[in-house]
Amino acid sequence: MPHLQEILPKLVSSLAARSDRGSVATYIPELAKVDPTKFGIAVATLAGSVVAAGNADELFSIQSISKVFTLALALGKCGDMLWTRVGREPSGNRFNSIVQLEYEKGVPRNPFVNAGALVVTDSLLAGHEPREVIGEILRFVRFLADDDTISVNRAVAASEQSTASRNMALAHYMHSFGNLQHAPQRVLGTYVHHCAIDMNCRQLAAAGLFLAAGGRNPLTGHSVISPLRARRINALMLTCGHYDASGDFAFRVGIPSKSGVGGGILGIVPGVASVAVWSPGLDSSGNSHLGTIALEELVQAMDWSVFAPRAHA
Ligand code: DON
């Protein structure tokens, strides 16, 4: 196997030289302040090593990557009943689109578009206060990464809350169809806080490793979810993790991944490794521009793909 210790620093220097960096998200004002020249990458392997390069120790806002963790928690709480409230199909629309919700009677296409993630958060609120659910999500992520320093960035949460009219519209709309069981304000408040969790690439790669390892984190030895559930979450990441660019991402990169508007991407190489990359500039679909290119180059160098079985032998 080619050596990650050699590949990652080379990736960092080749990407640092590029002038096409995408644009940082501005609709959440706090994210607009992030330095677009940052770039970090970390790979956690099933064999137990974590290799990192660039700004891999710097915290960033995980945003929609948190939807992977809330989905795992919600499935643990509701089981397959969750699928009566949210679909499992790619949307072909932007992450914050409202148009499909009317045709499909308030049932979002998948748990990763904003509407779907709001339903997932709503399901976690059953029997709990928002602050309890935020605490539960945070404890889960800390447990996965084996790192109690992970926390919510209150400034980012407040910033998103102050400009969240669109997500509020999605929440109210679903509430009108009876697909939100709690007040839109409570669901949104919980959602913006889990999106505002800060992590660095090392923590994120470690936290995602259970998905590469059949539901068990080999770094910590913790059993997290069943192998079947891990496989299904990976399937959803592959088909829906990059919104309307999921097909292109599967074509170019070919591993289950989830992006966030903070510029992070979590990629899963089943049976092999978990990869976290961060570059704040986004492409027109709202996914990290250089992060996608970095993953494209990494999987080629390592011969990683869910569509090339020999890579996992
Ligand atoms: O709801 C939002 O718009 C953000 N909190 C998360 C969106 C996001 O990360 C989309 N991903 N690329």
Side-chain angles (χ1 to χ4, degrees), residues 28-29 36 79 107 109 115 127-128 161 165 176 192 196 202 248 257 296 298:
I28 300 175
V107 177
R109 272 287 171 107
H128 297 284
Q161 187 103 48
S165 302
S176 78
V192 299
R202 279 181 197 276
D248 189 57
S257 304
E296 200 175 5
L298 177 68

Side-chain angles (χ1 to χ4, degrees), residues 39-287:
F39 180 89
I41 186 162
V43 180
T45 69
L46 262 68
S49 62
V50 181
V51 183
N55 307 115
D57 294 302
E58 216 161 298
L59 296 175
F60 62 90
S61 191
I62 67 167
Q63 291 297 319
S64 286
I65 303 169
S66 63
K67 297 170 183 174
V68 173
F69 305 122
T70 53
L71 175 62
L73 277 176
L75 286 169
K77 182 167 180 173
C78 316
D80 285 344
M81 284 300 286
L82 186 69
W83 304 121
T84 60
R85 301 177 58 192
V86 58
R88 306 188 293 251
E89 291 292 348
S91 67
N93 281 309
R94 277 188 72 74
F95 63 89
N96 57 4
S97 171
I98 200 164
V99 68
Q100 245 158 6
L101 272 183
E102 178 158 27
Y103 297 125
E104 297 178 359
K105 302 190 169 37
V107 177
R109 272 287 171 107
N110 66 64
F112 295 146
V113 289
N114 287 4
L118 287 163
V119 168
V120 169
T121 304
D122 182 69
S123 76
L124 293 174
L125 279 167
H128 297 284
E129 292 298 316
R131 67 182 151 69
E132 292 171 335
V133 174
I134 296 163
E136 185 192 1
I137 297 167
L138 202 51
R139 276 191 298 281
F140 183 53
V141 174
R142 287 174 173 172
F143 160 76
L144 292 175
D146 198 21
D147 190 332
D148 283 344
T149 65
I150 296 169
S151 52
V152 172
N153 185 322
R154 304 270 160 201
V156 172
S159 178
E160 177 167 1
Q161 187 103 48
S162 70
T163 57
S165 302
R166 201 179 175 95
N167 280 338
M168 203 55 178
L170 291 170
H172 274 288
Y173 201 54
M174 291 189 291
H175 196 256
S176 78
F177 282 101
N179 199 19
L180 278 198
Q181 288 159 4
H182 302 87
Q185 194 67 48
R186 286 166 86 77
V187 179
L188 191 84
T190 312
Y191 169 89
V192 299
H193 281 80
H194 72 64
C195 287
I197 292 173
D198 271 348
M199 289 173 88
N200 64 33
C201 290
R202 279 181 197 276
Q203 293 166 332
L204 187 58
L209 195 56
F210 74 103
L211 290 170
R216 189 176 161 278
N217 185 335
L219 291 179
T220 60
H222 292 143
S223 183
V224 184
I225 56 174
S226 71
L228 177 63
R229 199 158 272 166
R231 203 156 81 194
R232 288 177 165 176
I233 293 176
N234 285 339
L236 290 166
M237 289 171 77
L238 185 86
T239 52
C240 313
H242 277 63
Y243 314 106
D244 47 336
S246 297
D248 189 57
F249 193 89
F251 180 86
R252 289 169 59 192
V253 181
I255 58 170
S257 304
K258 183 73 210 81
S259 63
V261 288
I265 304 177
L266 172 65
I268 304 300
V269 192
V272 181
S274 158
V275 184
V277 60
W278 171 52
S279 173
L282 308 178
D283 62 21
S284 58
S285 300
N287 303 312

